[in-house]
Amino acid sequence: MSGGSYYVPESSKWPALGSLAVGIMMAGLGTLLVYGRGALVMTLGMVAVLSVMFLWFRDVVRESRQGLYDDQMDRSFRWGMGWFIFSEVMFFAAFFGALFYVRTFAVPWLDGEGAKGVAALLWPDFTASWPLMNPPDAGISGPRESVSPWQLPLANTLFLVSSSITLTIAHEALKEGYRRTARNWLIGTLVLGISFLVVQGFEYYEAYAHLGLTLEAGIYGSTFFLLTGFHGLHVTIGAITLAVMLGRIIKGHFTRDDHFAFEAASWYWHFVDVVWIGLFLFVYVF
Amino acid sequence: MASNLPPKPTLEHSTAASGGLAHEHHERPRGIWRWLLTTNHKEIGTLYLVFSLVMFFIGGIFALVVRAELFQPGLQLVQPEFFNQMTTMHGLIMVFGAVMPSFVGLANWMVPLQVGAPDMALPRLNNFSFWLLPVAFTLLLSTLLMPGGGPDFGWTFYAPLSTTYAPPSTTFFILSLHMAGISSILGAINIIATILNLRAPGMRLMDMPLFVWTWLITAFLLIAVMPILAGVITMMLMDINFGTSFFNAAGGGDPVLFQHLFWFFGHPEVYIMILPAFGIVSAIIPTFARKPLFGYASMVYATASIAILSFLVWAHHMFVVGLPLVAELFFMFTTMLIAIPTGVKVFNWIATLFRGSITFETAMLFALSFVVLFTIGGFSGLMLAIAPADFQYHDTYFVVAHFHYVLVPGAIFAVMAGVYYWLPKWTGHYPDERLGRWHFWMSVIGVNLTFFPMHFSGLAGMPRRIPDYALQFADFNMVSSVGAFMFGVSQLLFVWGVIKCVRGGEKAPAKAWEGAEDLEWSVPSPAPLHTFETPPEFTPITH
């Protein structure tokens, strides 16, 4: 409970500037998508968003270093990060839900199965399968091949699962006060994370160049890129966060029992890892 | 936690009622900067409330355009295309711009005061949550001026109306909704952290005022379902701009998938807009009945039950889309189950009134009319829950009557009741009772004139979202339109009353209402900018 030391910042320009920056970015993105121009505005907005984030977090780090945060503030951060990750879980739940719905209901129904089999009247020649190689309408050409789970995705699974292990070792080392060990295992984690992203990029290239698997290739391509794409984005965010933690460890931040930023980043990384397990099972294997 | 703590300024407050004057303050920003840079929960609460009031009037004007067109059969004032934009924007603005931010505003003001916290848990994030909203809604409103017009597919933006057949501005609509959604999620995280972590020493969860409880549960719902909305509009964005097939059967997707995802968000969203209203009414009725709330614990459990059930009822919005029979039955029965916890609540409010020493201040008038009129909306909801009957009611004015009864004399009356109730705490002055009573009676008559006839025109088959109608509906529609303008104009009385109260009026003491017992009444009126910098001693009152 509060001992009257709960830190309330007097005022800050980052929230308002951040909102403005998000607005500029969104307006630019919209103009780019709808009218094919506005890339410059969008880029400016994005740079502004990232700058505000950097400056805002810098303030928070400084306040933390000055000892302005008490235990109660620490718990606020924990609740905040925990619920934020829960919101991310629900974001992915929407995408997994869409995948399961399509696989279990929509595609079989289009083939005449079940209570809504009348939908088969739309495309009588359609045969259901998953991965869906032949979308119902001839106007949409499906992929030539699906992605084999036992090559690049398996490698990526190994990368991410072992990165969670190395990160835990780094965390344990930090708690024991072995800063060099923590640093080295964190570097290892980052290398694994970046390897994942490189492999993912290569897989996307293969999909587009050789498999005919694109966003336009019907529902299989749609769900494939939606799920793996947003996951990849989250790996990127997680890797950037871990990189910041690496920088802070090198600069001498964090103590054995006060390093919540590091913990938050590792919570996030483990979350991203768990999502990948779901992806590997339901997007690639089954 | 940190090892190198610098000397802290000594805090000299020991009582709950102490203001923030002794704190060493920097020069506070003035004018517009004060509001742009603020991290203070009271100032941000005010910002939210003013913003939602502005949105309430903008959304209200759109509704009046709709009602003006429907005053008589035939097309008089607007083209059908513009009519569609007005119905759509009215819904979007009211849901995301007026009702939700008004509750967040009240939470900002009252949750820290009611739990004895110095501020919200994450004050800067709080300010960010607010300022995203004006940006988001500027972008949303700007779509009306874009080529092809604004969103015209109804506030539920069903695919493929909102994808294949949508105006180009839909992309901007999606992006603005993303911003509003981020704002809601961050705001909810802040509220939940405040409630779980910043309660005064000695205040257990089951000691919290009901408004805090309902907001705790609402915040959970927000964090759970706003990301689903983000997901579904992201899929829309990709269908529109990147050629994906999520909601396109030609590629193996399904437009019905859109409806499942949307309503998985949308039904908890409905309770997001009513649970805090339950909390407000549960504060006001005991105050003016001068009795403790009847069945405090059952109120908490009922609220939680409603929240859990809200995840299991979504497809009752989709009874006519062609669901398998087993789904129709499942969603029919789960929906009817909601009547039980809701009935518990209504019973408890009435039992609180029983043998109370009741006075009828404006706040109480609004709260009492909430109980009656919300219950009407609840009963029509029960009718709609009957799947076979819904085949007749679906997409008629009966549905419009139902959800306006729970949202206008439901949610919005509760917000107004809350404003009249807490204005003395915010401004230090009592609101003008005579003006308040005029506002109340004009509103309550206007609201019923507007929405009660819609039950009949709906049962007789008048479809919603159509700018013209068959001649037999003319009388009902004329009454509705007269009522709508009456309700709209009477809201100017509300604005006048609030401005008058801010500028002056009878001075209110710390405990402005005789029967008010919660922690916020222990700080001076108006509440100083900083309260509870040292947490108050909390002694539980037995419920």
Side-chain angles (χ1 to χ4, degrees):
Chain A
M1 294 299 168
S2 169
S5 58
Y6 199 81
Y7 178 71
V8 178
E10 201 54 45
S11 65
S12 172
K13 49 186 170 299
W14 309 130
L17 276 176
S19 306
L20 185 66
V22 174
I24 292 170
M25 182 176 77
M26 291 299 198
L29 174 61
T31 326
L32 180 66
L33 289 173
V34 180
Y35 300 108
R37 48 178 198 268
L40 183 67
V41 178
M42 185 189 72
T43 315
L44 277 176
M46 204 185 293
V47 170
V49 170
L50 293 174
S51 313
V52 168
M53 285 177 78
F54 176 79
L55 295 164
W56 188 339
F57 283 126
R58 192 187 61 174
D59 275 6
V60 175
V61 170
R62 280 184 181 163
E63 289 160 10
S64 170
R65 300 277 297 154
Q66 286 166 15
L68 294 173
Y69 296 163
D70 59 6
D71 285 354
Q72 196 177 22
M73 180 59 104
D74 188 59
R75 285 197 300 275
S76 284
F77 285 140
R78 283 167 194 276
W79 280 121
M81 189 66 192
W83 286 107
F84 173 68
I85 289 177
F86 174 62
S87 80
E88 294 272 41
V89 169
M90 294 308 291
F91 184 64
F92 278 98
F95 297 156
F96 275 106
L99 176 71
F100 295 146
Y101 180 86
V102 164
R103 291 181 58 167
T104 320
F105 299 119
V107 171
W109 280 342
L110 282 167
D111 193 14
E113 190 189 299
K116 295 226 293 177
V118 69
L121 296 174
L122 286 167
W123 288 279
D125 300 332
F126 174 69
T127 317
S129 66
W130 193 267
L132 184 62
M133 308 307 277
N134 297 301
D137 197 86
I140 296 176
S141 55
R144 283 187 297 279
E145 270 179 74
S146 58
V147 182
S148 161
W150 308 116
Q151 292 161 17
L152 299 181
L154 180 65
N156 261 350
T157 308
L158 295 175
F159 286 152
L160 268 199
V161 172
S162 44
S163 78
S164 260
I165 297 168
T166 54
L167 184 59
T168 306
I169 298 172
H171 188 193
E172 291 302 317
L174 191 61
K175 281 200 279 195
E176 300 294 325
Y178 304 123
R179 303 185 62 90
R180 277 177 60 89
T181 320
R183 186 198 67 186
N184 293 340
W185 284 99
L186 188 53
I187 291 173
T189 310
L190 267 171
V191 169
L192 287 167
I194 291 164
S195 311
F196 173 93
L197 288 171
V198 171
V199 171
Q200 182 90 41
F202 184 67
E203 183 184 278
Y204 275 19
Y205 166 76
E206 284 288 305
Y208 262 81
H210 300 123
L211 306 181
L213 178 58
T214 66
L215 281 167
E216 289 95 356
I219 193 65
Y220 175 62
S222 305
T223 50
F224 176 84
F225 284 108
L226 182 78
L227 279 152
T228 57
F230 272 100
H231 178 262
L233 181 68
H234 283 74
V235 175
T236 312
I237 295 168
I240 293 170
T241 321
L242 288 181
V244 173
M245 296 310 134
L246 179 63
R248 290 187 63 186
I249 288 184
I250 291 170
K251 280 186 81 175
H253 293 195
F254 303 137
T255 61
R256 285 164 70 155
D257 40 30
D258 177 23
H259 49 259
F260 178 65
F262 183 94
E263 276 188 81
S266 68
W267 289 357
Y268 194 80
W269 191 257
H270 294 313
F271 149 72
V272 166
D273 191 18
V274 171
V275 172
W276 174 260
I277 305 291
L279 280 182
F280 182 65
L281 291 178
F282 298 113
V283 174
Y284 291 99
V285 178
F286 295 112
Chain B
M1 63 182 209
S3 47
N4 51 343
L5 289 170
K8 286 199 200 80
T10 342
L11 295 169
E12 287 167 350
H13 323 291
S14 52
T15 61
S18 56
L21 297 172
H23 205 35
E24 45 151 350
H25 287 303
H26 304 287
E27 189 62 28
R28 282 186 54 79
R30 286 170 187 284
I32 182 82
W33 295 107
R34 171 184 167 197
W35 301 101
L36 277 167
L37 308 183
T38 181
T39 50
N40 182 281
H41 73 102
K42 300 185 185 78
E43 289 178 341
I44 294 172
T46 304
L47 284 171
Y48 266 111
L49 288 170
V50 171
F51 173 80
S52 69
L53 187 62
V54 171
M55 286 295 135
F56 181 55
F57 275 92
I58 293 176
I61 287 167
F62 294 166
L64 292 183
V65 172
V66 170
R67 278 322 321 169
E69 175 55 51
L70 294 175
F71 183 67
Q72 286 184 319
L75 294 178
Q76 284 90 24
L77 294 172
V78 295
Q79 294 302 306
E81 293 78 11
F82 188 68
F83 182 91
N84 290 344
Q85 293 173 39
M86 287 292 101
T87 54
T88 307
M89 288 296 255
H90 162 69
L92 291 169
I93 296 279
M94 286 303 194
V95 168
F96 295 103
V99 176
M100 288 170 71
S102 67
F103 282 129
V104 182
L106 291 174
N108 253 293
W109 253 103
M110 301 322 299
V111 166
L113 284 179
Q114 290 197 321
V115 302
D119 204 293
M120 295 290 279
L122 306 158
R124 274 173 293 218
L125 193 68
N126 198 17
N127 192 26
F128 183 54
S129 304
F130 171 74
W131 280 106
L132 278 173
L133 286 179
V135 177
F137 282 87
T138 306
L139 190 61
L140 180 61
L141 287 169
S142 74
T143 59
L144 285 174
L145 309 172
M146 289 179 186
D152 56 1
F153 25 68
W155 86 272
T156 52
F157 47 97
Y158 278 13
L161 266 183
S162 60
T163 52
T164 314
Y165 306 104
S169 65
T170 307
T171 297
F172 290 96
F173 150 74
I174 292 170
L175 296 173
S176 67
L177 211 50
H178 265 308
M179 278 191 272
I182 296 169
S183 157
S184 287
I185 293 171
L186 298 178
I189 290 174
N190 219 332
I191 290 169
I192 233 172
T194 307
I195 297 173
L196 292 177
N197 190 31
L198 263 62
R199 294 194 308 282
M203 184 185 278
R204 294 160 303 176
L205 284 176
M206 289 307 272
D207 296 326
M208 299 191 308
L210 244 266
F211 180 64
V212 178
W213 252 117
T214 52
W215 243 114
L216 177 66
I217 293 167
T218 302
F220 167 74
L221 290 179
L222 276 167
I223 302 173
V225 300
M226 292 310 284
I228 307 279
L229 174 70
V232 67
I233 59 179
T234 302
M235 288 186 232
M236 273 173 66
L237 186 81
M238 294 181 72
D239 270 11
I240 293 170
N241 293 295
F242 300 110
T244 53
S245 309
F246 294 111
F247 309 129
N248 180 8
D254 191 348
V256 179
L257 169 62
F258 174 89
Q259 298 184 22
H260 280 294
L261 287 170
F262 177 82
W263 286 116
F264 190 82
F265 146 78
H267 202 81
E269 164 72 13
V270 171
Y271 296 146
I272 286 163
M273 293 191 286
I274 202 65
L275 294 185
F278 292 164
I280 295 167
V281 170
S282 303
I284 292 173
I285 287 182
T287 296
F288 296 106
R290 290 164 183 79
K291 272 179 65 192
L293 183 69
F294 183 88
Y296 170 87
S298 66
M299 282 302 219
V300 172
Y301 298 136
T303 312
S305 313
I306 293 173
I308 292 164
L309 282 172
S310 76
F311 288 102
L312 303 172
V313 298
W314 76 88
H316 68 216
H317 297 270
M318 304 161 57
F319 279 147
V320 302
V321 84
L323 297 177
L325 183 63
V326 62
E328 303 260 329
L329 289 172
F330 174 82
F331 287 107
M332 177 167 89
F333 290 128
T334 50
T335 304
M336 289 177 170
L337 274 182
I338 295 178
I340 296 169
T342 315
V344 168
K345 286 184 162 294
V346 174
F347 177 86
N348 285 347
W349 289 321
I350 293 168
T352 308
L353 291 168
F354 182 66
R355 295 184 133 178
S357 172
I358 304 173
T359 48
F360 296 93
E361 283 81 354
T362 312
M364 184 62 160
L365 290 174
F366 273 102
L368 290 176
S369 71
F370 169 93
V371 175
V372 176
L373 298 176
F374 173 79
T375 304
I376 293 179
F379 281 139
S380 59
L382 210 49
M383 291 170 71
L384 286 160
I386 304 165
D390 183 69
F391 277 60
Q392 166 72 13
Y393 309 148
H394 189 89
D395 250 346
T396 67
Y397 261 82
F398 190 80
V399 178
V400 178
H402 157 68
F403 69 72
H404 279 94
Y405 259 90
V406 290
L407 282 174
V408 186
I412 287 174
F413 271 26
V415 172
M416 284 169 173
V419 169
Y420 281 111
Y421 181 59
W422 283 311
L423 264 176
K425 186 52 61 192
W426 301 340
T427 66
H429 309 290
Y430 283 104
D432 183 332
E433 278 299 324
R434 220 167 82 90
L435 199 54
R437 276 199 298 275
W438 270 98
H439 171 225
F440 169 74
W441 285 110
M442 295 272 289
S443 295
V444 88
I445 293 168
V447 128
N448 284 293
L449 274 182
T450 313
F451 298 117
F452 210 76
M454 289 182 184
H455 290 114
F456 305 123
S457 48
L459 285 177
M462 178 171 161
R464 62 191 281 213
R465 293 172 171 160
I466 307 284
D468 192 5
Y469 48 82
L471 292 178
Q472 72 264 31
F473 303 125
D475 293 349
F476 284 137
N477 274 282
M478 197 172 276
V479 174
S480 281
S481 291
V482 170
F485 276 87
M486 182 175 166
F487 180 77
V489 170
S490 59
Q491 299 321 307
L492 296 171
L493 295 178
F494 177 63
V495 177
W496 185 22
V498 171
I499 292 174
K500 215 176 148 195
C501 185
V502 171
R503 294 168 66 96
E506 191 194 336
K507 288 257 181 291
K511 185 173 165 178
W513 310 110
E514 185 193 7
E517 302 296 346
D518 290 326
L519 214 45
E520 75 264 31
W521 305 108
S522 67
V523 302
S525 301
L529 199 58
H530 297 279
T531 37
F532 298 134
E533 286 176 308
T534 304
E537 279 306 314
F538 178 79
T539 5
I541 37 170
T542 39
H543 288 290

